[in-house]
Amino acid sequence: METIRTGVYICHCGVNISATVDVKAVAAFAEGLPSVVIARDYLYMCSDPGQELIKSDIKDLGLNRVVVASCSPRMHEPTFRNACADAGLNPYCFEMANIREQCAWVHHKGATEKAKALVASAVAKAALLEPLERKKVSVVPRALVIGGGVTGIYAALEIADKGFETYLVEKDPSIGGHMAQLDKTFPTLDCSACILTPKMVEVARHKNIQLLTYSEVKEVNGYIGNYNVKIRKKPRYVDEVKCTGCGECANACRLHGIILNEFDVGLSKRAARYVPFPQAVPLLYTVDPDRCIYITKGKCGKSPACVDACPADAIDFDQKEEELEVEVGTIVVATGYDLLDPAKRPEYGYKYTEVLTGLEFERLSVASGPTGGKIIINGKEPKEVVFISCVGSRERKGITNYELRITNSNLDNQTSKMDGGARNEYCSRVCCMYIAKQAHLVRDKIPDARVRIIYNDMRAYGKGFEEFYNRVVAEGVEYIRKELEDEVEVIKRSEDDDKVVVRTISGGIELEADLVVLANALVPRKDADELAKILKITKSGDGFYLEAHPKLRPLDTFTDGIFIAGCCQSPKDIPDSVAQAVGAAIRASIPLMRGEVEVEPLVAIINENICVGCGTCEVSCPFDALSLEAGVMRVNEVVCKGCGSCGSACPSGAISMRHFKDEQIYAQIEAMCLQKL
Amino acid sequence: MMKEVNLIGFMCNWCCYAGADLAGVSRFQYPPNIRIIRVMCSGRVDPELILDTFLYGADGVFIGGCHLGDCHYLEGNFYAEKKVEMAKRLLKAAGVEPERLRVEWISASEGERFAEVIREFTEEIKELGPVKSEKEELEAACIAAADYRLRILATKERELLEEGNKYGEVFTRHEMDRLLEDMVQEDYESKRILLKLKKPMSVKEIASELNLKSNVVLRRILDLKRHELIGIHEIRANTPTYIANTREGFE
């Protein structure tokens, strides 16, 4: 048996660790531990000279185990493993003690003693570690992009341009996302549709992109390089090849002009057969299955009007839902956001026709919108317009004065409904600038309108933002500042009044308005949870998807091969979303270009001499990695994710988890318990 | 002054361990009594490991996983929950307060909550002080946890409650509780007897030492004998004494 020779390295991390941990004392303590040949401390172990220290010791002192006590292994384990490998030591003969995040930073007192215990535990485990080999697996040279907004479009184009086949899955009938709904974009005032639609067309035409609209990702199995994705393609009830997008079916539909059009945020009406907007990609008339008379009632006149009207004979009510199964190497998630439902905050008076959300204003203002770009409220041009910022953003959780009042007066029990994103502590980031832009548009279209903006703080942080803000102020838009805690409410003096009153609780502000625009918060999509579970990615406390590291790995998730970009990670504007899209696309392309990836060898192993083939472990494996062959259980090492549930289930103790073996964990426990406080 | 206590935490790599890291990054303070062992999934932890940790001298054990439904491995934490339940029953049998074992679901973004929970748990264990049970009691619980019956039950409990056994019989919560209670008690008593029989003893002697009824001891003795774990040592004045078989030959 080889003699264990361990080197222990204690990091000061500048003063991050050394401020509360006596690093020298820990090093001296480590020197006395069994198998330790050398214990050193150094200012920054992760720096080049720090890593050099380890490498030269491995060579000069013949170390065969290395322990670094520094930050979390979630941070620098790969760094030090690579350093070990560089010096010829198997990277799995390395163990880390987390004395920064879980010790120095959280204990004012007792940190040194705890650091000793953690180092002793790591040394004990290290002695029992076994060299492991990483398996190389080939990568399917295809990618999946989920979400067809501007972020998904850019990500898909970027990957496809590199020469890889890309599936772009969009839930709605058309790609384009929220950006397709916008009028002009801040701060440059270029028309949103003009810059987006060419890209949408490019996606549809690109030889490497397979566009799957009106489809949803239902199931994802596998691992980096080899994801198996099940996609549900909803029936449109139209032949995609034959449909020319002429629109005769929609004109003929018996529900023409009756159903609220979601794309216009309910400001216009459509038929049960529809395209969301004229520039839709693909331009196919889709059936709204919840409304279509033929589908819901089974009968629509003598024969459905759309069938009779279609000159291309494209209508096909026999279409069924399809399930596609695709194999991809990497996945980019770009699912975007939802907008806070303003009805969740009744104090803002959304029930009044004079009160609109920011997105509704966009549809009203855009030239291709239901009013042809004319801003009309109650049949006339509004002369007094008030914008309210931070509706549902920058608010602490907890009950507001408004809610207290209505619960106290028992008007109705609204408070119970006011949860789930009605108040969000984060800043939605785009509202300050889109309000400024919309204020500019009002002044542009109705020059004699008085435009006032009630705001808390002006956040003009981006390129050209402050300049744009200055321009809007110079144009005569009035900014009225209030305190964050000073709540706003929108009321009517009498129900038949066509004006609303915006006032603050403190009484400091009271304004009459013909039109009020609410900058409602950007919130996580309502299906964000479901998709997170399908992809096995994590979310942060605010409900958006969580990046692997806020600064160094902003586009990665904790699941290898799955990347996030755009507003699904946090609210951001178009330039930031596009930048992330391109970044995530590059991250997702790397494994595709390399053609193979290394997978962690941390899997379950079975001692076939002990296994009795009872099958208890099989029950607890959610990945079906275990199967009974000739009376003994076998592990499919590529499918096994290494959770260890089978090991803790095995009644005969035949299963052990590589790198987390029983004896390794027991060594840790023993060492920790020996170091009393 | 309250005595210092030793706490060991097993935390899953994806949620609770990351939550602990976030507590660090955000500098939320908590007492240094807890020492954290990283595992890939809370489902890795089994009752034997938990009881062994107490045997090594821990005064409290903390299991941290992802929120139910958020498990990185889909359902590892559901199994962890059942295994913790089993461990709690065994702790109780061994005379250790089950509150010394705590399971919490903490996500990677809940740094503040992590610190709060650990502060609270440390306080609770400080109130309880060091574990008072005898080593042999814990040891018996530990061997019981390692034995196949309880291990199978802890794993299959979910299946039995939701889908039923091979004959399609679905267990109610009440039935399952009774079954678990009986089995834990039985196995624990058997292991206590087994440990006592390192030296030869009669049924009566065991009964008085373990404070059990003689008929219960006799039943356990016969079971143990049937499994060839013990044998008759000698017969003294018509009273047999028993002794544990050495495990050589089994290994």
Side-chain angles (χ1 to χ4, degrees):
Chain A
M1 220 183 115
E2 64 169 349
T3 324
I4 303 295
R5 296 175 64 82
T6 311
V8 181
Y9 302 87
I10 322 283
C11 182
H12 292 239
C13 195
V15 293
N16 277 305
I17 292 171
S18 57
T20 47
V21 173
D22 183 346
V23 177
K24 298 263 181 222
V26 177
F29 163 82
E31 203 126 56
L33 290 168
S35 86
V36 174
V37 177
I38 181 97
R40 299 181 193 269
D41 60 286
Y42 189 70
L43 200 55
Y44 289 106
M45 277 315 299
C46 59
S47 67
D48 249 2
Q51 294 187 45
E52 234 8 88
L53 216 55
I54 300 175
K55 288 186 209 170
S56 55
D57 279 357
I58 292 175
K59 287 176 193 147
D60 301 345
L61 302 173
L63 300 181
N64 51 20
R65 296 291 184 280
V66 170
V67 169
V68 173
S70 58
C71 47
S72 170
R74 290 164 58 89
M75 177 97 183
H76 271 314
E77 193 175 56
T79 313
F80 293 118
R81 275 189 178 163
N82 287 340
C84 291
D86 283 351
L89 181 65
N90 185 290
Y92 293 91
C93 291
F94 165 78
E95 181 64 19
M96 220 163 160
N98 184 345
I99 63 165
R100 192 179 74 168
E101 280 86 345
Q102 296 182 2
C103 184
W105 277 349
V106 285
H107 311 308
H108 291 312
K109 273 199 284 185
T112 304
E113 289 314 303
K114 179 164 172 179
K116 286 180 187 172
L118 296 177
V119 169
S121 152
V123 169
K125 181 175 179 185
L128 298 172
L129 289 175
E130 293 164 352
L132 300 171
E133 293 307 321
R134 285 190 188 132
K135 250 201 173 130
K136 283 195 170 130
V137 294
S138 60
V139 172
V140 178
R142 282 190 289 272
L144 167 72
V145 177
I146 308 174
V150 63
T151 311
I153 287 173
Y154 263 89
L157 285 173
E158 197 71 26
I159 302 172
D161 279 346
K162 289 186 175 65
F164 299 107
E165 254 181 71
T166 308
Y167 298 98
L168 177 59
V169 175
E170 166 61 47
K171 206 172 180 193
D172 287 340
S174 170
I175 55 170
H178 281 108
M179 189 178 166
Q181 294 173 283
L182 306 182
D183 183 5
K184 300 213 164 44
T185 53
F186 63 79
T188 44
L189 295 177
D190 35 0
C191 142
S192 183
C194 315
I195 51 179
L196 181 66
T197 43
K199 289 288 168 191
M200 289 163 59
V201 175
E202 204 181 323
V203 164
R205 268 207 321 246
H206 204 294
K207 67 173 176 30
N208 284 336
I209 296 180
Q210 192 172 345
L211 184 56
L212 299 166
T213 48
Y214 212 43
S215 303
E216 286 170 44
V217 171
K218 280 322 239 192
E219 207 181 310
V220 175
N221 290 309
Y223 49 94
I224 180 169
N226 296 273
Y227 282 111
N228 175 287
V229 184
K230 291 203 172 98
I231 298 166
R232 188 170 71 105
K233 203 165 181 297
K234 294 175 272 186
R236 289 176 191 267
Y237 303 107
V238 69
D239 188 317
E240 296 189 8
V241 181
K242 287 184 187 165
C243 178
T244 60
C246 67
E248 292 298 334
C249 53
N251 290 334
C253 177
R254 292 190 166 87
L255 294 176
H256 183 73
I258 289 177
I259 303 166
L260 291 178
N261 187 354
E262 304 83 357
F263 186 79
D264 281 331
V265 222
L267 296 180
S268 71
K269 303 274 179 65
R270 59 169 170 82
R273 247 184 209 286
Y274 68 105
V275 285
F277 55 107
Q279 299 81 20
V281 171
L283 192 64
L284 296 170
Y285 275 80
T286 305
V287 166
D288 180 343
D290 300 325
R291 300 301 301 271
C292 171
I293 299 173
Y294 187 74
I295 291 173
T296 52
K297 306 259 193 302
K299 190 170 182 293
C300 172
K302 274 203 184 89
S303 73
C306 51
V307 176
D308 300 339
C310 181
D313 193 23
I315 287 170
D316 177 6
F317 274 107
D318 295 330
Q319 272 185 1
K320 294 272 172 305
E321 191 176 291
E322 284 175 57
E323 195 179 87
L324 270 77
E325 215 174 310
V326 301
E327 304 284 334
V328 296
T330 50
I331 299 173
V332 175
V333 184
T335 45
Y337 61 95
D338 275 347
L339 283 159
L340 171 68
D341 176 7
K344 281 188 178 168
R345 301 296 301 274
E347 64 265 46
Y348 287 102
Y350 182 65
K351 61 184 175 186
Y352 304 126
T353 50
E354 295 81 5
V355 181
L356 297 182
T357 64
L359 191 60
E360 286 167 352
F361 180 90
E362 294 289 334
R363 296 312 299 157
L364 205 57
S365 167
V366 68
S368 60
T371 59
K374 289 202 180 71
I375 300 169
I376 303 284
I377 293 292
N378 290 333
K380 57 180 195 286
E381 279 189 336
K383 297 293 178 198
E384 287 185 292
V385 182
V386 172
F387 289 88
I388 304 173
S389 74
C390 304
V391 174
S393 310
R394 300 188 63 204
E395 286 184 275
R396 300 290 182 86
K397 303 270 178 205
I399 204 152
T400 62
N401 290 328
Y402 174 81
E403 288 156 12
L404 270 181
R405 266 193 299 142
I406 56 167
T407 37
N408 285 350
S409 60
N410 273 333
L411 274 177
D412 56 3
N413 196 14
Q414 295 273 17
T415 29
S416 61
K417 291 179 208 151
M418 288 180 223
D419 48 11
R423 271 179 296 279
N424 300 288
E425 196 171 347
Y426 57 81
C427 164
S428 288
R429 289 184 98 231
V430 293
C431 321
C432 280
M433 290 322 286
Y434 86 60
I435 290 178
K437 174 203 71 183
Q438 291 180 345
H440 164 84
L441 291 175
V442 175
R443 296 278 301 168
D444 199 35
K445 293 180 185 204
I446 316 169
D448 59 339
R450 184 170 188 196
V451 182
R452 289 176 288 194
I453 296 173
I454 300 178
Y455 75 112
N456 300 303
D457 295 290
M458 185 64 205
R459 295 191 163 171
Y461 54 87
K463 187 171 179 173
F465 287 12
E466 185 71 19
E467 295 88 331
F468 184 69
Y469 164 67
N470 288 335
R471 171 184 168 181
V472 171
V473 171
E475 283 170 358
V477 170
E478 298 165 48
Y479 273 82
I480 303 168
R481 191 173 184 282
K482 72 165 186 69
E483 290 304 322
L484 207 48
E485 300 73 32
D486 194 5
E487 291 157 29
V488 177
E489 63 176 355
V490 180
I491 54 155
K492 264 194 180 182
R493 294 238 159 82
S494 75
E495 280 307 312
D496 47 3
D497 208 350
D498 63 357
K499 277 182 184 297
V500 287
V501 176
V502 183
R503 63 181 190 197
T504 55
I505 303 288
S506 70
I509 300 171
E510 183 157 338
L511 311 170
E512 274 201 345
D514 304 310
L515 168 63
V516 171
V517 180
L518 306 176
N520 47 338
L522 275 60
V523 295
R525 285 186 61 96
K526 60 177 181 301
D527 53 9
D529 233 17
E530 198 187 323
L531 188 65
K533 277 174 193 160
I534 292 172
L535 294 167
K536 289 167 219 97
I537 59 175
T538 38
K539 297 184 303 159
S540 45
D542 53 17
F544 290 102
Y545 295 144
L546 183 65
E547 62 281 3
H549 190 278
K551 296 178 183 68
L552 305 178
R553 293 174 68 198
L555 307 170
D556 297 16
T557 64
F558 286 119
T559 307
D560 287 344
I562 301 185
F563 306 90
I564 47 174
C567 288
C568 66
Q569 183 260 344
S570 78
K572 48 183 69 69
D573 61 2
I574 296 166
D576 284 359
S577 296
V578 171
Q580 283 208 335
V582 175
I586 290 172
R587 298 285 297 141
S589 301
I590 294 171
L592 307 185
M593 286 174 156
R594 285 197 179 150
E596 59 177 22
V597 283
E598 287 185 331
V599 289
E600 286 284 335
L602 311 183
V603 294
I605 40 171
I606 293 181
N607 184 336
E608 292 176 7
N609 296 325
I610 301 179
C611 177
V612 295
C614 68
T616 309
C617 53
E618 216 179 345
V619 178
S620 65
C621 180
F623 303 103
D624 296 331
L626 294 158
S627 55
L628 210 52
E629 275 172 41
V632 279
M633 215 32 99
R634 287 191 201 276
V635 181
N636 181 340
E637 289 195 15
V638 178
V639 179
C640 175
K641 306 243 177 196
C643 65
S645 284
C646 56
S648 69
C650 178
S652 32
I655 306 182
S656 55
M657 282 305 308
R658 280 203 184 130
H659 215 62
F660 293 91
K661 290 190 162 182
D662 279 353
E663 56 266 33
Q664 293 166 348
I665 293 181
Y666 283 129
Q668 281 187 284
I669 301 170
E670 190 179 7
M672 281 180 175
C673 287
L674 279 176
Q675 285 306 309
K676 298 273 181 200
L677 279 164
Chain B
M1 206 192 103
M2 266 188 278
K3 259 192 127 170
E4 284 302 345
V5 289
N6 276 313
L7 309 179
I8 301 282
F10 296 97
M11 300 184 187
C12 85
N13 180 56
W14 306 98
C15 294
C16 197
Y17 192 89
D21 278 353
L22 183 63
V25 173
S26 325
R27 313 293 202 276
F28 294 122
Q29 304 288 306
Y30 54 89
N33 303 58
I34 189 147
R35 283 91 196 260
I36 298 170
I37 293 175
R38 182 168 69 132
V39 289
M40 292 314 276
C41 178
S42 54
R44 166 70 181 84
V45 177
D46 62 57
E48 186 191 355
L49 185 64
I50 295 170
L51 286 152
D52 260 330
T53 309
F54 281 105
L55 205 51
Y56 275 115
D59 303 303
V61 173
F62 185 92
I63 316 289
C66 307
H67 284 279
L68 292 173
D70 282 349
C71 176
H72 188 78
Y73 305 101
L74 306 176
E75 44 194 35
N77 48 6
F78 284 103
Y79 289 104
E81 196 180 25
K82 297 294 175 216
K83 281 165 186 164
V84 166
E85 255 176 51
M86 178 65 83
K88 278 185 182 245
R89 286 175 195 277
L90 283 161
L91 282 175
K92 209 174 143 202
V96 179
E97 302 86 345
E99 305 81 62
R100 291 183 186 272
L101 170 60
R102 181 156 169 181
V103 63
E104 284 285 345
W105 317 126
I106 295 174
S107 80
S109 61
E110 294 175 318
E112 192 171 2
R113 196 172 144 245
F114 175 85
E116 262 171 43
V117 168
I118 297 299
R119 274 199 295 271
E120 195 185 291
F121 184 57
T122 313
E123 277 314 305
E124 279 171 22
I125 302 300
K126 276 187 181 169
E127 285 291 321
L128 291 171
V131 172
K132 291 163 211 76
S133 293
E134 280 171 42
K135 204 171 168 184
E136 211 175 76
E137 290 176 291
L138 264 171
E139 216 177 321
C142 204
I143 309 172
D147 208 352
Y148 68 99
R149 283 218 312 185
L150 296 185
R151 283 181 77 99
I152 292 178
L153 202 58
T155 306
K156 293 217 170 171
E157 188 186 338
R158 264 190 87 199
E159 199 189 349
L160 295 173
L161 285 170
E162 285 160 21
E163 289 156 40
N165 62 11
K166 279 222 159 83
Y167 310 102
E169 297 164 344
V170 178
F171 286 64
T172 64
R173 184 70 257 178
H174 179 72
E175 286 168 340
M176 184 52 86
D177 280 342
R178 275 190 50 184
L179 181 70
L180 284 167
E181 192 116 321
D182 291 350
M183 267 199 176
V184 165
Q185 195 56 36
E186 213 175 295
D187 279 18
Y188 173 70
E189 283 166 6
S190 289
K191 305 306 173 195
R192 287 278 286 162
I193 294 168
L194 194 58
L195 286 173
K196 283 280 170 223
L197 288 178
K198 280 177 187 162
K199 57 178 201 310
M201 281 172 102
S202 70
V203 169
K204 254 197 177 143
E205 285 165 342
I206 296 171
S208 79
E209 242 185 70
L210 294 181
N211 203 11
L212 289 170
K213 282 187 182 143
S214 298
N215 61 338
V216 174
V217 174
L218 183 61
R219 212 180 309 143
R220 306 281 176 261
I221 289 266
L222 292 176
D223 274 346
L224 287 167
K225 192 161 166 288
R226 192 150 40 85
H227 286 103
E228 292 177 25
L229 292 167
I230 58 170
I232 294 181
H233 179 68
E234 60 176 357
I235 299 184
R236 283 189 310 227
N238 289 338
T239 309
T241 59
Y242 300 88
I243 190 151
N245 287 331
T246 48
R247 278 179 62 83
E248 277 163 54
F250 280 95
E251 298 294 314

